[in-house]
């Protein structure tokens, strides 16, 4: 009898111990979960503070870049060229806890993809005058002619107002059948990043052609500062050649190499194959400012696009890291 009682007490103590251990394990798990949540919240809060701090500094950088441009344009130079004035080198800006630099670049040397269409009473239609030039430019940078025409066709179809596909283009019928359906814009593109949504525009293809493109809010080709051109821009200059021109990429590079150091003061001094191009100018009406911020071992890059054609200086677009 006494043995059974002792045995029962031991069983009760064992059960109580198991309950206590389960409670301890449960509380430990709860405390660990709370700790993880708090730790994650602290990290997110720190990251949010750092990101907010970066954005405030970037906003200050925008104002500084704008003021530098306004000061530069108080006495507009007769010409703007590589290696001169604000385009000579990056400008260092002292900031608390780090450093920043602003690098100004010409933003006129690009092919306006909106010039692939013309504006009419019924909306936008394909522009037969600029499409061959666009194809020539893409083939000059190494794309096949079929691939270049495909890109041209899908851009035109995305902008134009009709529902008829170009040769290799795609209209609403194609895009509305995608897993995430959408419709064509039927309006000018506001950013070259919109090309990423178009049929056949892979990441690799976009990366290859984007350095040569821009999206102006007009169907006009846009003015190009010939003083800022280098061999890398030769495909763009090839696209500006008049119909029937026999100039090659090699010819254009040779002509660029013959330009005087510091650029020209008047486009009338240009010689073939650069002469006679109405889009050529010797000053830039669009300038990009690249701001690089380095704070607490972190780096962020912001690109700003300014219109400086007429006072006041206007900010057209901003992006962090990627293209406009």
């Amino acid at each position: 009898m006494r043995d059974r009682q002792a045995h029962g007490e031991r069983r009760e103590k064992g059960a109580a111990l198991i309950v206590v251990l389960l409670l301890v394990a449960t509380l430990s798990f709860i405390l660990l979960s709370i700790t993880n949540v708090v730790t994650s919240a602290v990290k997110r809060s720190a990251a949010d503070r750092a990101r907010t701090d970066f954005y405030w500094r970037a906003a200050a950088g925008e104002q500084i870049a704008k003021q530098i441009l306004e000061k530069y344009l108080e006495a507009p130079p007769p010409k703007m060229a590589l290696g001169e004035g604000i385009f000579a080198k990056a400008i260092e800006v002292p900031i608390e806890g780090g450093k920043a630099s602003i690098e100004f670049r010409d933003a006129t040397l690009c092919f306006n993809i909106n010039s692939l269409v013309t504006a009419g009473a019924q909306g936008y239609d394909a522009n037969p005058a600029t499409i061959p030039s666009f194809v020539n430019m893409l083939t000059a940078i190494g794309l096949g002619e079929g691939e270049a025409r495909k890109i041209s066709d899908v851009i035109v179809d995305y902008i134009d107002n009709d529902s008829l596909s170009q040769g290799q283009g795609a209209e609403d019928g194609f895009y509305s059948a995608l897993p995430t359906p959408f419709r064509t814009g039927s309006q000018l593109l506001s950013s070259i990043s919109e090309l990423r949504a178009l049929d056949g525009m892979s990441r690799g293809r976009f990366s290859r052609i984007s350095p040569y493109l821009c999206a102006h809010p007009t169907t006009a080709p846009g003015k190009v500062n010939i003083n800022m051109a280098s061999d890398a821009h030769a495909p763009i200059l090839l696209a500006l050649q008049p119909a029937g021109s026999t100039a090659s990429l090699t010819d254009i590079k040779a002509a660029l190499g013959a330009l005087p150091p510091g650029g020209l003061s008047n486009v009338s001094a240009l010689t073939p194959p650069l002469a006679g191009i109405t889009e050529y100018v010797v000053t830039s009406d669009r300038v990009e400012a690249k701001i690089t911020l380095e704070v607490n071992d972190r780096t962020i890059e912001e690109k700003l696009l300014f219109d400086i054609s007429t006072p006041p200086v206007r900010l057209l677009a901003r992006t962090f890291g990627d293209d406009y």
Side-chain angles (χ1 to χ4, degrees):
M1 181 72 176
R2 190 174 299 169
D3 291 339
R4 285 200 300 269
Q5 185 178 1
H7 181 67
E9 290 176 353
R10 285 196 298 270
R11 290 181 61 185
E12 289 177 0
K13 290 181 180 179
L17 179 60
I18 291 173
V19 170
V20 171
L21 291 174
L22 287 173
L23 286 173
V24 171
T26 302
L27 289 174
S28 298
F29 177 77
I30 293 173
L31 290 174
L32 180 61
S33 298
I34 292 173
T35 301
N36 289 336
V37 170
V38 172
T39 302
S40 298
V42 170
K43 288 181 178 179
R44 283 198 302 270
S45 178
D48 288 342
R49 286 196 301 271
R51 183 165 56 250
T52 300
D53 180 59
F54 262 122
Y55 287 154
W56 277 112
R57 292 175 187 269
E62 290 182 18
Q63 293 303 312
I64 294 173
K66 187 171 183 286
Q67 290 172 8
I68 292 174
L69 282 173
E70 289 172 341
K71 185 69 176 178
Y72 176 68
L73 296 171
E74 283 181 357
K79 64 182 178 68
M80 300 177 188
L82 285 171
E84 292 191 348
I86 60 173
F87 304 102
K89 62 179 181 178
I91 299 172
E92 300 296 328
V93 180
I95 60 173
E96 183 180 353
K99 60 180 180 179
S101 64
I102 304 176
E103 182 181 356
F104 290 97
R105 304 170 175 174
D106 166 77
T108 67
L109 279 154
C110 55
F111 187 99
N112 177 21
I113 52 178
N114 288 322
S115 69
L116 293 175
V117 298
T118 57
Q122 303 302 318
Y124 297 107
D125 295 304
N127 185 349
T130 56
I131 290 175
S133 299
F134 181 70
V135 171
N136 287 342
M137 182 187 73
L138 295 187
T139 56
I141 64 176
L143 275 67
E145 184 174 350
E147 185 181 11
R149 291 190 180 279
K150 164 74 173 179
I151 295 173
S152 172
D153 287 345
V154 295
I155 294 175
V156 171
D157 276 341
Y158 193 81
I159 299 175
D160 68 18
N161 292 91
D162 63 42
S163 58
L164 301 176
S165 297
Q166 302 290 316
Q168 300 182 64
E171 286 283 357
D172 286 342
F174 172 82
Y175 295 111
S176 61
L178 294 176
T180 303
F182 61 94
R183 299 176 67 87
T184 55
S186 298
Q187 61 184 4
L188 298 181
L189 299 175
S190 60
S191 167
I192 63 170
S193 62
E194 293 182 61
L195 296 179
R196 291 294 306 277
L198 304 191
D199 177 35
M201 188 59 67
S202 64
R203 181 184 296 273
R205 184 174 290 174
F206 177 77
S207 298
R208 191 171 185 182
I209 68 175
S210 59
Y212 302 91
L213 308 179
C214 54
H216 294 173
T218 173
T219 60
K223 298 298 182 180
V224 171
N225 184 354
I226 191 64
N227 287 333
M228 295 289 186
S230 64
D231 283 0
H233 302 113
I236 299 169
L237 305 187
L238 181 66
L240 294 176
Q241 290 292 308
S245 170
T246 59
S248 67
L249 211 58
T250 302
D251 296 333
I252 292 174
K253 290 180 179 180
L256 288 174
L259 292 178
L264 300 168
S265 297
N266 197 310
V267 293
S268 62
L270 289 170
T271 57
L274 302 179
I277 310 297
T278 58
E279 288 81 12
Y280 288 163
V281 290
V282 295
T283 59
S284 302
D285 59 4
R286 289 187 170 213
V287 170
E288 178 186 89
K290 186 180 78 169
I291 301 176
T292 303
L293 294 170
E294 296 181 33
V295 181
N296 298 327
D297 296 325
R298 296 186 179 184
T299 302
I300 190 171
E301 183 178 286
E302 181 184 18
K303 292 180 181 177
L304 308 170
L305 182 63
F306 290 99
D307 181 342
I308 63 170
S309 56
T310 56
V313 172
R314 293 189 302 121
L315 177 63
L316 299 179
R318 70 166 62 85
T319 183
F320 288 92
D322 295 328
D323 292 324
Y324 307 105

